Amino acid sequence: MNILLFEHNNFGMEDICETLKQMGHQYKRISTILIYERVSAEFDQLFEEAMNTHFDCVFTFNYSPVLSNNCKKYNIPYIAFVYDSPLVALYSYTIINPCNYVFIFDKALYEDFKKEGINTVYYTPLAVNCDRLIRQLSQTPSQILNKDFHCDVSFVGSMYNEKHNLFERFKNLPPYVSGYLDAIMDAQLKVYGYFFIEELLTSNIIEELQKSVPVKPNKDGVETVSYLYANYFIARKLANLERYSLLSELSAKLGKTYNIHLYTPNPTPDLPLISNKGEIDYYNECPFAFAQSRINLNISLRSIRTGIPLRAMDICGAGGFLMTNYQADLYDVFVPDEDIAIYESKEDLVNKCSYYLSHESQRTQMAANAFGKVKEKHTFLVRLNEIFNIVFNS
């Protein structure tokens, strides 16, 4: 096949290209920020020029309404492999375009679309290029020789502590609204497996939020104002609160005994016993951090309702040991306590980290089990074969 790839700073595109070559397919790769537009005459022209060559399908990570409309116009299958959440573009009216094959990693979100009769969406876990990771980990690239990724516990991800983040833009809220938001966030932090913030944003609360920081749904979409506040404002604030809380607890209980690394863009002076290593490169450094950390933490965004985040799959694909919060879809891929460890609270996280750090052989065996399952059933080669079978043989 000949496949047209569109991308802009997407994780995994190098792995897609390598896998397509391995499968014997040809591809053309176009990088443009215009794929994030809903409507764009400039993108339409770019797509029209690309159509001078025959392609069997178009592929992107995540979902692009402007690309879907162009594929519909030219009657060519559009494959979107979604790894971000939230992704408001999924609520575009274009989601029903018959050219679409949208693969969603969060089963709860997929089921929401199916319940509405939308038949252009499919559920699939995310994928890993184990061949690349094995190659990388068998050597030491010169650019990271001066870095030591060995540690007892690590977390790779944003702390959502940047200045002027969305939640911090709320100003002059009435005390009852601030108190209400604090209460529902505190309740959500105690519950894994169900994100209920959106349904608790009542009309009077939304009215006050709109006075402070107005938001508008897209004209070509069905997302609600409550969806935008819950998933883009509050879910990220929850991640900030939760990640600080968990890492503070780990720091207080284990920080003097064990070496804890944090890979994140912004300084974290409130975590003095944790070594903040700064931002980390996804392709060249993350595999070493995952493989050389005795325990890798996954702390999911609450907007990922049941899905396995990319971070968690990458950890297991690199042979790392995964310690994660509960996500229902984990049970589709792994067996808890045999492949991975799942914590239920910050106290449970501390206890399980302490346990697995003192049970080396059990921990390394579990990491090997998880790697074996990813390598057998969740590589890009496996996933693309599944996707192409749906697109061209269904």
Side-chain angles (χ1 to χ4, degrees):
M1 288 193 298
N2 194 21
I3 300 166
L4 180 58
L5 308 176
F6 281 93
E7 55 101 8
H8 182 73
N9 296 334
N10 293 114
F11 296 138
M13 190 55 70
E14 302 300 330
D15 297 321
I16 286 291
C17 293
E18 178 179 319
T19 305
L20 290 175
K21 288 180 182 178
Q22 182 182 355
M23 298 171 74
H25 299 308
Q26 295 180 315
Y27 64 85
K28 179 178 181 180
R29 180 175 175 180
I30 299 176
S31 180
T32 173
I33 197 171
L34 295 173
I35 60 172
Y36 299 132
E37 298 293 329
R38 314 282 282 219
V39 177
S40 169
E42 185 179 354
F43 182 86
D44 295 345
Q45 179 63 35
L46 178 65
F47 194 91
E48 181 179 356
E49 292 170 358
M51 287 297 102
N52 289 329
T53 301
H54 170 76
F55 293 99
D56 295 284
C57 64
V58 176
F59 177 96
T60 62
F61 281 110
N62 293 326
Y63 176 73
S64 167
V66 68
L67 185 50
S68 175
N69 275 338
N70 274 276
C71 288
K72 179 183 177 183
K73 177 181 177 181
Y74 286 89
N75 194 29
I76 183 172
Y78 171 38
I79 300 169
F81 193 7
V82 175
Y83 64 59
D84 270 346
S85 178
L87 185 62
V88 71
L90 289 172
Y91 293 89
S92 162
Y93 293 133
T94 63
I95 195 70
I96 64 172
N97 284 345
C99 61
N100 288 345
Y101 295 84
V102 182
F103 294 86
I104 297 173
F105 77 101
D106 189 321
K107 187 183 289 184
L109 180 59
Y110 155 78
E111 290 175 345
D112 281 351
F113 283 108
K114 294 299 287 186
K115 288 175 185 175
E116 296 300 320
I118 296 172
N119 295 318
T120 54
V121 298
Y122 304 82
Y123 164 67
T124 185
L126 297 175
V128 178
N129 185 355
C130 289
D131 289 343
R132 171 178 64 85
L133 295 171
I134 292 169
R135 286 197 310 271
Q136 286 181 270
L137 295 170
S138 66
Q139 54 189 344
T140 305
S142 59
Q143 65 265 30
I144 67 164
L145 279 172
N146 62 339
K147 293 190 177 183
D148 183 9
F149 295 100
H150 289 90
C151 67
D152 297 305
V153 181
S154 74
F155 175 68
V156 177
S158 175
M159 295 297 289
Y160 293 96
N161 61 339
E162 64 275 6
K163 293 180 180 179
H164 310 302
N165 63 49
L166 290 175
F167 189 87
E168 304 305 331
R169 295 180 187 178
F170 289 132
K171 303 295 183 184
N172 302 316
L173 292 175
Y176 81 90
V177 175
S178 297
Y180 186 83
L181 293 180
D182 288 342
I184 64 174
M185 287 192 294
D186 184 63
Q188 181 67 80
L189 288 171
K190 294 179 172 64
V191 176
Y192 290 106
Y194 181 46
F195 183 58
F196 50 69
I197 293 295
E198 184 177 351
E199 61 195 79
L200 294 183
L201 293 178
T202 57
S203 58
N204 62 319
I205 296 296
I206 290 176
E207 182 179 352
E208 295 297 337
L209 297 182
Q210 284 280 52
K211 291 177 184 177
S212 179
V213 183
V215 298
K216 292 183 179 179
N218 289 282
K219 293 180 180 179
D220 67 336
V222 296
E223 71 275 9
T224 63
V225 170
S226 59
Y227 168 87
L228 296 174
Y229 282 131
N231 288 276
Y232 285 91
F233 288 71
I234 298 176
R236 293 176 180 182
K237 182 60 177 178
L238 282 167
N240 168 257
L241 296 171
E242 182 169 29
R243 291 174 183 185
Y244 264 99
S245 176
L246 291 172
L247 291 174
S248 295
E249 188 75 5
L250 275 177
S251 174
K253 299 295 176 62
L254 302 180
K256 294 182 179 179
T257 305
Y258 295 105
N259 188 11
I260 305 173
H261 284 185
L262 172 61
Y263 299 94
T264 196
N266 298 317
T268 50
D270 295 336
L271 300 171
L273 294 180
I274 293 179
S275 181
N276 187 333
K277 300 294 186 178
E279 196 165 12
I280 189 171
D281 181 79
Y282 177 78
Y283 284 105
N284 296 316
E285 297 179 326
C286 271
F288 291 89
F290 295 150
Q292 295 174 7
S293 301
R294 298 172 70 196
I295 293 177
N296 294 276
L297 301 180
N298 174 58
I299 309 170
S300 302
L301 267 171
R302 293 307 183 99
S303 53
I304 303 176
R305 291 157 55 192
T306 61
I308 307 174
L310 181 61
R311 177 195 303 108
M313 295 297 286
D314 284 338
I315 287 167
C316 295
F321 177 85
L322 174 62
M323 174 77 70
T324 178
N325 58 274
Y326 169 81
Q327 297 285 116
D329 295 357
L330 286 164
Y331 291 80
D332 293 339
V333 177
F334 303 111
V335 177
D337 302 324
E338 291 184 14
D339 308 321
I340 62 172
I342 296 177
Y343 63 86
E344 299 177 355
S345 65
K346 62 183 179 182
E347 294 79 14
D348 190 41
L349 173 62
V350 170
N351 291 337
K352 286 181 175 175
C353 282
S354 180
Y355 173 84
Y356 284 111
L357 287 170
S358 61
H359 289 76
E360 188 81 13
S361 61
Q362 184 179 357
R363 192 188 71 252
T364 55
Q365 182 59 60
M366 288 171 63
N369 293 345
F371 171 78
K373 289 184 176 179
V374 170
K375 191 174 187 305
E376 180 185 2
K377 296 183 179 181
H378 301 284
T379 64
F380 277 104
L381 180 60
V382 170
R383 196 65 75 245
L384 285 180
N385 273 317
E386 293 172 347
I387 288 172
F388 291 154
N389 185 58
I390 290 172
V391 174
F392 297 105
N393 296 318
S394 60

